[in-house]
Amino acid sequence: MQFTKVENNKNSAILKISAKDQKGLVAAVTQFIAKYEGNIIDLEQHVDDIDQEFFMRVEWCLDQFKLSTTELESLFAEKIGQPFSMDWSINYSTVIPKMAIFVSKMSHCLLDILSRYQSGELRVDIPIIISNHQDLESIAKILKIEFVYLPITRENKQQQEAKQLALLKDKKIDFIVLARYMQILSEDFTAQYPNRVINIHHSFLPAFPGAKPYHSAHARGVKLIGATSHFVTVDLDEGPIITQEVARVAHTDSIDDLVRKGRDLEKITLARAIWHYVNHKILVWKNRTIVFR
Amino acid sequence: MQFTKVENNKNSAILKISAKDQKGLVAAVTQFIAKYEGNIIDLEQHVDDIDQEFFMRVEWCLDQFKLSTTELESLFAEKIGQPFSMDWSINYSTVIPKMAIFVSKMSHCLLDILSRYQSGELRVDIPIIISNHQDLESIAKILKIEFVYLPITRENKQQQEAKQLALLKDKKIDFIVLARYMQILSEDFTAQYPNRVINIHHSFLPAFPGAKPYHSAHARGVKLIGATSHFVTVDLDEGPIITQEVARVAHTDSIDDLVRKGRDLEKITLARAIWHYVNHKILVWKNRTIVFR
Amino acid sequence: MQFTKVENNKNSAILKISAKDQKGLVAAVTQFIAKYEGNIIDLEQHVDDIDQEFFMRVEWCLDQFKLSTTELESLFAEKIGQPFSMDWSINYSTVIPKMAIFVSKMSHCLLDILSRYQSGELRVDIPIIISNHQDLESIAKILKIEFVYLPITRENKQQQEAKQLALLKDKKIDFIVLARYMQILSEDFTAQYPNRVINIHHSFLPAFPGAKPYHSAHARGVKLIGATSHFVTVDLDEGPIITQEVARVAHTDSIDDLVRKGRDLEKITLARAIWHYVNHKILVWKNRTIVFR
Amino acid sequence: MQFTKVENNKNSAILKISAKDQKGLVAAVTQFIAKYEGNIIDLEQHVDDIDQEFFMRVEWCLDQFKLSTTELESLFAEKIGQPFSMDWSINYSTVIPKMAIFVSKMSHCLLDILSRYQSGELRVDIPIIISNHQDLESIAKILKIEFVYLPITRENKQQQEAKQLALLKDKKIDFIVLARYMQILSEDFTAQYPNRVINIHHSFLPAFPGAKPYHSAHARGVKLIGATSHFVTVDLDEGPIITQEVARVAHTDSIDDLVRKGRDLEKITLARAIWHYVNHKILVWKNRTIVFR
């Protein structure tokens, strides 16, 4: 099954930086890019007024750029990164990231992601879908994506996670999407993919963490329900928030109605988080995200 | 491919009324229902303050109701409908409506509808998908839904529409969804399905009717884009609006970004309109809709 | 100072009911209204599917109604209210409710309410503004509203509340609005105005209850901030929610920016809650609100 | 009347640029700032992918900056502005802009602006309020702002506008806010304040331009109403859009309800546009705005 592919002919580098604020940072970086004939397409820079921390994302066209990626990275490290004590990373628009999807039984987030993948909206490779249930295997088959069924019990959790991690390494997975995967990842697992596991939680966090948020929302009588996509950390539902959406509800909405309306929030919110991740628009600082435009 | 089916054990009748306002309307209707042991679950009634037109939707449980559907309809007509000169209709929660989908090349609305259909969120039968292109045939095949390819040219339009209409009659289609079908239906076609063809237009109407609304929105520099689902009438993009959604955009959004953000609006907005239609929550009055909760 | 007054010539009664669900409730009520020549303008009825509790709001025109308000209330009690074991109340569109406003130092909610009061949008009388600070006295003076300064300390709280209650009784206050009043009302006070004290809390509850929600929101890195208007109960920030609003925030927003954006949410959300209250559109059930359209 | 003043101790320069895109622009500008010891707080840069036009806003702290404002502007013009053929402007956070407000009879936008002015949220001076009606004079008096009553007829329009322009010159007004001013400014007037007159139109443009948009919205049966703040140009309601907001409406909303809900949209939308203007976050390009974060 193959639909209209969105072409993306952009050949650009994306540099993300966080550093202690100091004079001349932007000038140093942009001069470096200009020196080697890079033309900047987009630059966003912000200084946090509490921490005096500097954040920047700059994207430039590589068409006439004079450095190879290897030269770029080693020269940048030497001339800019180290002198200014930066945390930095460079990504390239032509490199397609590899994404693994974890699911349980619910299909709405998975189908939505795959629909975007098929249309070319999400420029990723999806070498594997891992699940603790077999319900969604047929969907993976249609798209000829490998589907690995690894049921989880209290007893086998550690060894099944070891298998998951081996599969992820083997497939050279860059990041993981939990598309309503109803299992908590262990501390060990989480530590191996810091800020690289994206979850969707079905409430506007920090309200209603944990299980059954729609039931809690109904009981509390809130007038808005929400969904939150965030990076997974060892503290459940406490990781850096990437994006959040809400929808209006009323007394006429039963719990089933909240679940139904929530599914739309969940799939849209998760898809936006993935899109921002794949387009290298997210930095993490102190359990918060900087999400560039 | 078969996923979790949402069960709906509700056995109810839904009565929708519009009439010139007059005293005693609600009392007459609700007494009629009470007389035959119907228990009202939900009632919404409103009088338009300009036209003095009365609108009402009432849903009651049929479990202990003393009338068959035939008796109900003939008795209601005789005792209430005619004396009060009402326009009325009765639907039943256990009757699954038959929906035809018309598509062209874009898959996002179709996939979203089918995902809701498969999960049981949308309680419809889909006997047929009709398209002027072959691109989406493989999707229909997966779900074993008949896909009929009827390419349209200026020359063959009339005869292809005749074929479409014959197919719709043959499949006993109740209503039609244009899921980004890039053809204008003829006046003859439209007249045969009054307020039964749901379209999705990719702007917040009445702004940007016609072709290429995202291009127009970009040129005008609007800060919000939208999508509008409406019933199709002979006047293009002028039919009764069912629901509308918007999303924020900025100068950093290219036309491609508008198209991408717009796809989410389109699929969610169209799905909501279909949901309201299928749950018998829409009345049409003077080119406007009454959408009950 | 007197601006354009919105005229409201409507002469209607509004009946709100909650009761255990049973057959014939709507019929009984609407027949009663029809019998005495009341013409129903608006009716909304809903049965909670978990508690099987019946909720209804019906508004009818009194122009040709055959009962005086006294007759109406005693007859309704006898014929409908008692037989069906209803909780019910009747209000009249021509009776202007008396509202007290409690404030501290911040002016935005107060000014917004007074602006709506002056324009006639909010059909209330405001016999008194009570404050624990003197900052906003000049505003009250302009509108010739009595302003009573009652500073609160840990020591004098009980006796100042006694003074507040005496003033409220004296002015025959129907309901109280806490327009960013930075004091917690005692259990005794709250008990005297059950579901008649409306507060505005500057977060989307249940997230960020208590003090300094914008600081907490900034620290947590949420992407939406909110405001919640609710009835005050003895449990701080736990009362029935009337309405909630949110606004999008980003990493570029400082705490001051959140406070600034939040002010708009607070004043709009509080104003909506007051409007619904004044128009008799709110019922409370089990710490949740039913807010009719 | 004087309330809590928000302190703003920031001492910064804000440079806005538009230019044909070319390599080295960002580097040149940021090097210039760094050379004279300016520390950049915020930078946003974007290249329009259709026009290849470069837009940038950069704000830097002046505390240790080595140039006076005069030196800055002349040096920048010589070294950067002219060589790169830029359109550029520099503003300073310590310079308070002078704003004139034009009103007719409706008070909600005016009161909202004045509330923000009083609280220090809007850092402007308001030397004058001009109106074609006397209704709102008492509000101006409270704040001791000069109120000039200039009634407009078809006959005297030209000469009254001459008086208005003389007053604006005399007061050294930087920009004008039409806070529901129900008069169309002449071409001559508009030409003297290009992109310096901010209007609020009570619809989501380009839908419902011209008079009585709420009536048109009601007649069309839209499910969302909106408000648009834009710069005034000679083409009525066609100027560059600054910001837009919408609110959901339903069939139960009368025209009066739309007007009431619309007032909130209008005042909030207009206030946001003013805030962005005053904080030098808006550039205009080809009848569109670039609104920096």
Side-chain angles (χ1 to χ4, degrees), chain B residues 20-282:
Chain B
K20 261 287 135 229
D21 191 30
Q22 51 203 293
K23 264 175 229 160
L25 273 178
V26 186
V29 173
T30 56
Q31 245 182 293
F32 178 91
I33 295 167
K35 184 176 174 187
Y36 299 106
E37 307 283 324
N39 189 34
I40 294 175
I41 303 163
D42 220 281
L43 189 154
E44 229 182 301
Q45 180 268 333
H46 180 69
V47 176
D48 186 283
D49 66 344
I50 294 173
D51 294 324
Q52 296 303 313
E53 183 79 9
F54 170 100
F55 306 110
M56 179 165 148
R57 180 190 188 274
V58 54
E59 180 168 4
W60 69 94
C61 182
L62 292 174
D63 286 346
Q64 304 174 311
F65 198 58
K66 299 301 180 202
L67 301 178
S68 70
T69 61
T70 326
E71 290 166 339
L72 164 57
E73 292 176 29
S74 72
L75 262 175
F76 186 82
E78 182 195 331
K79 303 290 186 194
I80 314 283
Q82 282 154 25
F84 287 99
S85 305
M86 289 173 177
D87 277 334
W88 61 274
S89 63
I90 299 183
N91 289 281
Y92 304 93
S93 67
T94 50
V95 176
I96 308 295
K98 290 181 194 300
M99 171 172 102
I101 308 175
F102 281 43
V103 293
S104 288
K105 294 179 167 193
M106 273 171 288
S107 61
H108 59 289
C109 286
L110 177 64
L111 286 170
D112 189 66
I113 292 168
L114 295 178
S115 157
R116 293 166 199 272
Y117 162 67
Q118 273 294 12
S119 71
E121 176 183 314
L122 265 189
R123 299 183 69 248
V124 290
D125 281 335
I126 308 176
I128 192 162
I129 296 171
I130 293 176
S131 182
N132 58 335
H133 291 278
Q134 291 181 288
D135 304 53
L136 305 179
E137 183 160 14
S138 57
I139 300 176
K141 271 192 182 154
I142 291 161
L143 294 176
K144 301 191 172 61
I145 297 172
E146 188 177 336
F147 182 94
V148 179
Y149 167 52
L150 290 170
I152 311 270
T153 61
R154 198 169 296 178
E155 291 69 35
N156 75 2
K157 180 161 182 166
Q158 203 176 341
Q159 98 206 47
Q160 296 294 66
E161 277 203 347
K163 283 186 199 165
Q164 291 173 349
L165 285 166
L167 284 163
L168 298 173
K169 296 285 179 297
D170 183 55
K171 302 289 185 188
K172 299 192 168 113
I173 292 301
D174 292 302
F175 74 109
I176 299 157
V177 169
L178 308 184
R180 300 297 315 275
Y181 180 61
M182 307 304 277
Q183 288 288 327
I184 296 166
L185 302 180
S186 74
E187 202 162 322
D188 278 356
F189 189 114
T190 303
Q192 299 201 33
Y193 288 89
N195 296 327
R196 295 201 282 147
V197 183
I198 298 174
N199 186 39
I200 179 71
H201 182 75
H202 38 316
S203 80
F204 48 84
L205 291 174
F208 309 124
K212 295 203 172 281
Y214 295 125
H215 289 74
S216 307
H218 190 266
R220 181 63 187 91
V222 290
K223 300 302 184 185
L224 295 168
I225 56 165
T228 303
S229 57
H230 63 93
F231 287 118
V232 172
T233 59
V234 294
D235 300 310
L236 187 66
D237 300 332
E238 296 276 339
I241 292 171
I242 303 169
T243 187
Q244 300 186 286
E245 300 288 334
V246 292
R248 205 162 283 282
V249 295
H251 68 275
T252 42
D253 288 308
S254 66
I255 292 173
D256 283 348
D257 290 320
L258 300 194
V259 170
R260 172 175 55 83
K261 292 181 170 186
R263 279 196 297 262
D264 283 359
L265 291 175
E266 293 161 27
K267 72 186 188 188
I268 297 291
T269 306
L270 181 57
R272 277 183 200 159
I274 299 172
W275 191 88
H276 281 95
Y277 187 90
V278 167
N279 289 278
H280 312 294
K281 290 181 178 283
I282 311 176

Side-chain angles (χ1 to χ4, degrees), chain A residues 76-87:
Chain A
F76 186 82
E78 181 194 332
K79 303 290 186 192
I80 315 279
Q82 282 153 26
F84 287 99
S85 305
M86 289 174 176
D87 277 333

